[in-house]
Amino acid sequence: MGAAPTQRRNLLALPFAAAVALVTARASAAAAPGASAPAADSAASRARPVREVALLAGGCFWTVQAVFDRVDGVLATTTGYAGGSVRNPTYEQVLGGRSGHVEAVLIEFDVRRVSYTQLLDIYWRNIDPTRENQQFCDIGRQYNAVIFALGESQRAAAEASKTALERSKPFTARIRTPIVAGGEFFPAEEEHQRYFDQSPERYAQYVRGCGRERRLRELWGR
């Protein structure tokens, strides 16, 4: 899973809006017919992923990345910071609430295999949408659950998903998760990428101690 190393580094070096533009351009180039070997190029084009980007915040980005990294059709995930006023914030700045960012995950996915709406369905059932400025044991604005919509199509899909959830949710509390326009995204430090792989024992200890699974069962009955 994931982009080629050089492409991946280029993507991570860009703010969110520019990263989206790069993914869109890459997808357009992949769809363009080649000058040589048209039949082979056509077959290759059908096999290439059609890339889109989602940006979701759901509390601790370690756990959000762990969820989406396993989803079929997700090509790459990157933990980072969104929604703040400081450029290139550090983990310590975000953790201390000094930058205004929330912990978020940039998700690059193939729309031929998984839709944005399907990603939102997974998202809802892996957060506590009844909380504001808190997810499970983590308290503070930096842990707020937020859907960062890229453009009107994603905003419309997110609003429709939220409305549908309001009608079908198995709990009485209202949904507090905001939908906002996507802004700049800054990748987190390397030690916070795929933390579940880098430090599996510490990650498992965190998940158990935070009461995440217990609260998700209370909300969603799983």
Side-chain angles (χ1 to χ4, degrees), residues 55-64 80-84 94-95 97 100-105 123-124 126-148 162 174-180 206:
L55 183 60
L56 302 173
C60 173
F61 50 23
W62 297 342
T63 57
V64 177
Y81 315 113
V94 176
L95 185 65
H101 293 84
V102 295
E103 293 191 6
V105 176
Y123 170 77
W124 290 123
N126 282 277
I127 66 167
D128 181 349
T130 71
R131 304 293 186 188
E132 188 174 6
N133 298 327
Q134 177 182 357
Q135 283 295 296
F136 314 109
C137 67
D138 295 314
I139 300 173
R141 185 195 178 283
Q142 65 271 29
Y143 298 113
N144 202 21
V146 183
I147 296 173
F148 291 93
K162 186 174 179 178
R174 73 181 181 89
I175 295 173
R176 296 175 176 268
T177 305
I179 300 167
V180 304
Y206 162 76

Side-chain angles (χ1 to χ4, degrees), residues 50-219:
V50 177
R51 298 172 186 268
E52 191 171 326
V53 172
L55 183 60
L56 302 173
C60 173
F61 50 23
W62 297 342
T63 57
V64 177
Q65 184 177 41
V67 167
F68 284 101
D69 210 60
R70 297 192 298 265
V71 174
D72 183 45
V74 168
L75 305 172
T77 58
T78 306
T79 60
Y81 315 113
S85 57
V86 176
R87 292 190 61 79
N88 299 309
T90 65
Y91 179 75
E92 288 72 22
Q93 286 176 310
V94 176
L95 185 65
R98 301 191 300 275
S99 72
H101 293 84
V102 295
E103 293 191 6
V105 176
L106 185 71
I107 304 164
E108 189 176 347
F109 62 100
D110 180 357
V111 298
R112 290 178 174 173
R113 294 163 60 193
V114 63
S115 70
Y116 182 67
T117 297
Q118 288 172 318
L119 293 181
L120 291 177
D121 290 343
I122 295 167
Y123 170 77
W124 290 123
R125 284 159 180 77
N126 282 277
I127 66 167
D128 181 349
T130 71
R131 304 293 186 188
E132 188 174 6
N133 298 327
Q134 177 182 357
Q135 283 295 296
F136 314 109
C137 67
D138 295 314
I139 300 173
R141 185 195 178 283
Q142 65 271 29
Y143 298 113
N144 202 21
V146 183
I147 296 173
F148 291 93
L150 170 65
E152 287 307 311
S153 62
Q154 282 197 0
R155 178 178 286 276
E159 295 287 1
S161 177
K162 186 174 179 178
T163 298
L165 185 62
E166 286 282 12
R167 293 196 299 263
S168 64
K169 58 186 171 69
F171 47 82
T172 58
R174 73 181 181 89
I175 295 173
R176 296 175 176 268
T177 305
I179 300 167
V180 304
E184 287 188 308
F185 172 82
F186 299 96
E189 297 83 345
E190 185 58 35
E191 60 265 30
H192 296 293
Q193 303 297 336
R194 299 179 62 85
Y195 188 78
F196 52 92
D197 276 344
Q198 292 196 54
S199 304
E201 293 183 2
R202 292 184 64 185
Y203 175 76
Q205 185 179 27
Y206 162 76
V207 171
R208 287 194 302 270
C210 206
R212 184 176 185 276
E213 293 303 320
R214 181 177 66 252
R215 178 59 177 162
L216 290 177
R217 283 194 298 270
E218 291 173 358
L219 285 168

